Amino acid sequence: FGLVMAFQDFNPYKGTFFGQEWASNGGFGNFLYVFELEKFWNSVWNTLVISGAKIVLGIAVPLFLAILINEIKVKAFSRTVQTTFFLPFFLSWIILGSIISEMFSYGGVINNFIEKISGERIMFLLDNGWFRTLIIATDVWKGMGYNMIIFLAAIIGVDASLYEAVEIDGGNRFKQIMHIMIPTIAPVVVLVMTLSIGGLLNGGFDQVFVLYNPMVYEGGDIIDTFVYRLGMYDKQYGVATAVGFAKSFVTIILV
């Protein structure tokens, strides 16, 4: 019911939703105001770029790892690798954000290593281009274990006789993977991608909020963090709700 705030000049000091004044332009004033903000469209673009890259890499990388792990013949080693890749999935961004901030800071261990090689340091957390890359890469690293397990389960379910048929016809292991394994598990890959499209406008609030700062708003600000600042910092509750409402509406269409 709180979505009615999107159509009101909401003031918390006036009490409940029933005591508020409607926004201008027949209640759509908040939407018109937001759509004229350059920062809003910048956050939309950042969200699409970051989320799109996360979806593509979040499927390609786990799929590649699942194929590699499936080729490991020593099962004990295979299970160890699976567990290692899966562990980051269980850690919150509050924990990982602190670790990443320390590692990729200007005086962190990553920059110490880079300086020994190139003689220069990179401002990962203060440069818009590097920050966006860092957001995408760390998210893929954190979540790759989850999709990897799904793809690995699908790979294990492939009929072994199909591989044998290709082998009899002279096909090597690479051709078995390309012509049997990948086409067989394609429906699972498509399903995971389809479910991911519903979150195209979710750039990952927890991750970005923990890592970003005013220096990287241009390249790292997403819709969710933009809404947070509108509502919590600028006290524009109706405008913030309008952005969230529009985002939810588009997300439903995507689903």
Side-chain angles (χ1 to χ4, degrees):
F1 184 71
L3 287 176
V4 73
M5 291 169 58
F7 305 95
Q8 297 176 334
D9 289 328
F10 188 82
N11 186 337
Y13 297 105
K14 292 184 179 180
T16 65
F17 304 116
F18 300 101
Q20 306 294 326
E21 298 180 1
W22 294 104
S24 58
N25 295 292
F28 289 93
N30 291 330
F31 294 91
L32 298 177
Y33 170 75
V34 167
F35 294 153
E36 292 177 356
L37 292 178
E38 183 179 350
K39 291 182 179 179
F40 168 71
W41 294 110
N42 179 65
S43 68
V44 171
W45 170 250
N46 288 336
T47 303
L48 292 175
V49 171
I50 292 173
S51 295
K54 285 181 178 181
I55 290 174
V56 173
L57 294 177
I59 292 176
V61 173
L63 178 60
F64 180 70
L65 291 175
I67 293 174
L68 290 181
I69 291 176
N70 185 64
E71 298 305 305
I72 298 176
K73 303 305 180 183
V74 182
K75 295 304 179 183
F77 180 67
S78 174
R79 286 192 289 268
T80 302
V81 173
Q82 290 180 48
T83 304
T84 303
F85 283 135
F86 203 15
L87 279 177
F89 179 78
F90 295 101
L91 299 177
S92 71
W93 275 115
I94 301 299
I95 298 173
L96 291 179
S98 301
I99 297 173
I100 292 170
S101 296
E102 289 293 330
M103 291 183 63
F104 287 89
S105 65
Y106 192 74
V109 63
I110 301 298
N111 264 314
N112 291 338
F113 178 73
I114 293 175
E115 186 180 33
K116 290 181 179 179
I117 297 177
S118 63
E120 298 180 356
R121 291 176 178 266
I122 300 174
M123 295 188 292
F124 290 102
L125 300 174
L126 297 177
D127 181 270
N128 282 284
W130 278 110
F131 180 79
R132 185 183 291 171
T133 303
L134 182 65
I135 287 293
I136 296 170
T138 53
D139 183 82
V140 173
W141 166 74
K142 182 180 185 297
M144 64 185 181
Y146 182 82
N147 284 339
M148 182 189 69
I149 296 297
I150 296 176
F151 296 146
L152 193 57
I155 290 173
I156 293 174
V158 177
D159 189 353
S161 62
L162 298 175
Y163 296 132
E164 295 172 358
V166 175
E167 188 175 2
I168 292 173
D169 288 338
N172 56 24
R173 187 56 182 169
F174 178 76
K175 289 186 177 180
Q176 293 176 28
I177 293 174
M178 295 302 297
H179 297 291
I180 298 298
M181 181 187 295
I182 293 180
T184 303
I185 68 172
V188 177
V189 177
V190 172
L191 175 62
V192 173
M193 181 174 290
T194 303
L195 295 175
S196 300
I197 290 176
L200 185 61
L201 295 183
N202 294 323
F205 173 80
D206 294 349
Q207 178 193 19
V208 177
F209 183 72
V210 169
L211 294 174
Y212 86 151
N213 59 78
M215 293 291 292
V216 290
Y217 280 173
E218 181 181 349
D221 194 25
I222 60 175
I223 296 176
D224 289 340
T225 53
F226 178 71
V227 169
Y228 177 83
R229 293 201 311 278
L230 276 178
M232 301 303 293
Y233 291 169
D234 299 338
K235 310 300 181 184
Q236 300 185 62
Y237 304 108
V239 177
T241 307
V243 177
F245 185 92
K247 174 195 166 186
S248 300
F249 183 77
V250 174
T251 300
I252 290 174
I253 294 177
L254 290 174
V255 173

